Amino acid sequence: MEESKKENFNITNNTNGTPPISGVPLLDIKNKVLTNKYVLSLVFVDDSKSQELNKKYRKKDNPTNVLSFPLDENEGEIFINLDSVHDEHKDFERTPEKFLGYLFIHALFHLKGLDHGSRMESEEQKIRQEFEI
């Protein structure tokens, strides 16, 4: 298990793989969307853990690519499924790094309180363009 910590931002890898985060400015993106005061934990998981979390918290018995959990208004957790990143990135016409960034941005906006819809998509698009995701 690998872990790194910076400015209210924790990254933990609970998989046997290496997250494709090279060149993805996760901290900058997090600070742009949620501010540098927001305390965020990013955890990389595999299909098995993703399915376990999805079943427990969403009552859906299948793995998903990303889950976000607000803990309070200034703290949250994001779980990104690395198996999904590697399996789905081509479907979204992105590299694994860009797809991981895409999922991360999506989860950040859920933590910010947005639900799926045109406003969320518009806000995500602005950040994806700014960071070339």
Side-chain angles (χ1 to χ4, degrees):
M1 178 171 84
E2 243 176 80
E3 188 170 326
S4 67
K5 195 172 197 171
K6 276 187 189 176
E7 297 181 38
N8 296 325
F9 185 37
N10 239 358
I11 300 174
T12 305
N13 181 11
N14 286 337
T15 73
N16 293 325
T18 301
I21 58 175
S22 175
V24 182
L26 296 170
L27 178 61
D28 292 340
I29 296 169
K30 172 250 181 212
N31 288 343
K32 180 76 177 189
V33 175
L34 297 173
T35 80
N36 62 353
K37 292 182 173 100
Y38 195 95
V39 178
L40 180 64
S41 175
L42 171 60
V43 182
F44 294 104
V45 296
D46 58 16
D47 275 340
S48 174
K49 185 65 175 179
S50 173
Q51 182 168 352
E52 177 186 320
L53 292 168
N54 205 22
K55 185 175 183 180
K56 181 176 181 178
Y57 294 102
R58 297 180 66 227
K59 309 296 184 236
K60 296 184 178 188
D61 193 12
N62 58 289
T64 188
N65 51 24
V66 64
L67 291 164
S68 56
F69 298 99
L71 303 175
D72 65 37
E73 69 179 36
N74 293 308
E75 186 174 0
E77 293 180 311
I78 293 172
F79 292 84
I80 294 180
N81 180 348
L82 277 190
D83 292 330
S84 289
V85 169
H86 293 297
D87 292 345
E88 296 175 16
H89 72 92
K90 289 179 184 171
D91 297 339
F92 287 81
E93 299 177 348
R94 288 180 163 81
T95 64
E97 292 82 5
K98 300 282 187 193
F99 187 55
L100 187 144
Y102 175 89
L103 293 173
F104 183 66
I105 290 166
H106 183 75
L108 290 174
F109 279 101
H110 276 305
L111 291 177
K112 195 171 179 171
L114 292 165
D115 290 324
H116 293 147
S118 59
R119 177 168 177 242
M120 183 173 182
E121 177 56 37
S122 173
E123 294 296 317
E124 287 178 9
Q125 182 63 29
K126 289 176 194 170
I127 299 297
R128 288 195 305 265
Q129 285 176 339
E130 181 175 339
F131 291 96
E132 299 178 359
I133 300 291

